[in-house]
Amino acid sequence: QILFENVTMVTVNWSDDEALDECDKDSLPISGNIFLNKQYLALQRSLSFSDPALQARANNDLDREENAEKCAERERIFTRYDEGRTRTDDIELWEEPNFSYYMKKDEYGFIHDKPIPIPPIDKKKLEKKQLREKKWYKMCQEWKATGKEPEELKTRIWKGCPNSLRGEVWPLLLQIKRIKEANEQKFGSGIYERMKELARKKSPDIRQIDLDVHRTYRNHEMFQLKYCVMQQKLFYVLSAYSMYNKQVGYCQGMANVVALLLMYMRNEEDVFWALGSLLLGDKYQMNDLYIPSLPKLFRFFDHHMVLRKRCIPSLHKHFKKIEMEPQLYATKWFLQCFLDKLPFSLALRVWDIYLVEGEEIETAMAIALLRYFKKHFVKANDEQINTFLATLHEKQFDEEALISCLSETLVELRKSRMSHLPPPPPAPVSATLDKSHHSNNNSNHHNHMMSPADSLPNLTPHNKSTLLTLYPSLSVTYETTV
C-alpha cells in the first residue's frame, strides 16, 4: 500500500504480474510530499518491473530528485555564507563562544581559558625588536621596488621574521603578484571570482568544506564567531580552489593552511593564489600530498624511515622494537608542515623557513624533532611517545635550540644529498599516454599554475585503510576530473 497526500490509496500486488499489468503504471501519482515521493521512487527502482520503460522512468525520476537536492543544498550553504553575521537565528548556542570562559588572548590572537602572565617590560629587548622591524621593513620596500630577493633574506629568516611583518614577507616569498599577473594574462581577469561562481554551481566538496570551516581555529579571535568575515573568506577560498584545481578538489588539512595564510594576508584572492603557489610551485609541490591516495605522504613516510635509520640509529632501533611507524606520529607533520603539532610561535618560525627554503624543510624538521627529544623517546614506550607528541603543541621548550638543530640537520642532509624526496615511481603506460595527450595544454603554464579549463587524467584511489583507521578524522576527497 502506498499512501499519498490526497489520501488516495493505490494497492498493487507486486508479486502478481497480471495485477501489475492491469494497473496503469504510468499514471501512478507522484506525491507532493517529499518523503512519500522518495519512498515511491525508491520502491519503483528496487523492484524488477516487467516493463523496461517504467524502470527507466523510475531511475530518471530518482536521479533528478537527488540532483535537485544536491543543488539546493549547495545553494543554501553558499547563501548562508553570503549573509554572514547579518542574522544569527539559525546558530545554536553551543556553536557560539561564551567570552566569560576566556580570560586572555595571546599575541597571536588565540584565546586561552587561563590567564596569561604578563612579563615585565624589558626596554633593551623592546628597542632591539623595534630596530629589527625597521630593518625588515626597509628590506621589504627594496624587495618590492626591485623585484629581486635580497641577499640577506635567508640569514634573517633563520633568525626570525617579525610577526608584524609576516603579512608583507609571505606574499613576496610566494610570488603572488607575479603568479596572478601571469595567470590573468593567459586566462583573463577575474579568475578567482569565476571559480567562486563555478563552485556555487558545481563543486562537489561544499558540504565537507562547510564542516571543516566550522572546526578550524575556533579558539582564534578571527575565526571564533560562526559565519564571521574570516570564516566567509576561508569558505570562499577553499570553494574556489576546489574548482580551480580539480585534481585535488578539497582535502582535509588544506583548511588549516588557508586559515594560517588568512591570519597574515587577509586578502582572500591573494590567499587563493598563495594556495596555488604552495600546491603547484616547484619549491613546495604540496599538490601530491592532497590528491587521491596521498602518494607524496607515503613517499615522505618511506624517506623518513631511511633517514631515521641513518641519522638516529639507536632511536630507530627502539622505534622498530615498539612498532612506532611514521604513520602514527608524522601524518600531520607532512600534510600541514607541522602546523598544529608545534607551539604556534615555533610553527610560524618553521613556516618562515619553509617558505624560503622549500619542501626539504619538512624532511629535515622531522629528523630534527626526533633528535631533539631523543633522550626522552629512547626510555619511553609507544603509548608515552604518542601522548607526548600529541600534546607537543602545548609544551614549552627552547625554540632557538630546536631551530639550531634543524639548521644542522638540513646541512647534514644536503651534504649527503638526501634532503629532498627521491623521485616518484614511473607512471603506468596508460597515464603516460594520457599525459602526452594533454602536453600541448600544459607545456606553457606559467609557474606551473593550472588552467581552470584543463582536463586532468582520472586518478584511481588506492586502499589506505591502515592510515584511515589510525586517523578516522582524515577526510580525503576522492574526486576524479571530467
Side-chain angles (χ1 to χ4, degrees), residues 257 286 289-290 331-340 342 347 350-351 354 358 361-362:
V257 172
M286 294 180 76
L289 279 172
Y290 298 131
T331 299
K332 284 196 173 182
W333 288 6
F334 299 128
L335 274 179
Q336 299 178 349
C337 191
F338 301 91
L339 197 58
D340 300 336
L342 295 173
V350 173
W351 265 82
Y354 172 67
I361 289 301
E362 294 193 78

Side-chain angles (χ1 to χ4, degrees), residues 258 398 433:
V258 172
D398 190 345
L433 293 175

Side-chain angles (χ1 to χ4, degrees), residues 19-62:
L20 184 59
D21 291 336
E22 291 174 2
C23 176
D24 186 4
K25 295 174 289 250
D26 291 337
S27 65
L28 287 178
I30 301 297
S31 168
N33 183 295
I34 295 177
F35 174 76
L36 293 177
N37 187 25
K38 291 179 69 175
Q39 295 299 310
Y40 167 68
L41 293 173
L43 182 60
Q44 277 191 324
R45 170 175 274 186
S46 64
L47 295 172
S48 299
F49 288 99
S50 58
D51 187 347
L54 183 58
Q55 180 69 62
R57 178 190 167 207
N59 290 338
N60 291 336
D61 287 345
L62 191 56

Side-chain angles (χ1 to χ4, degrees), residues 76-90:
R76 177 184 59 77
I77 293 175
F78 257 97
T79 301
R80 189 61 190 84
Y81 275 92
D82 292 340
E83 293 173 346
R85 296 285 297 184
T86 57
R87 53 181 280 249
T88 57
D89 57 285
D90 61 337

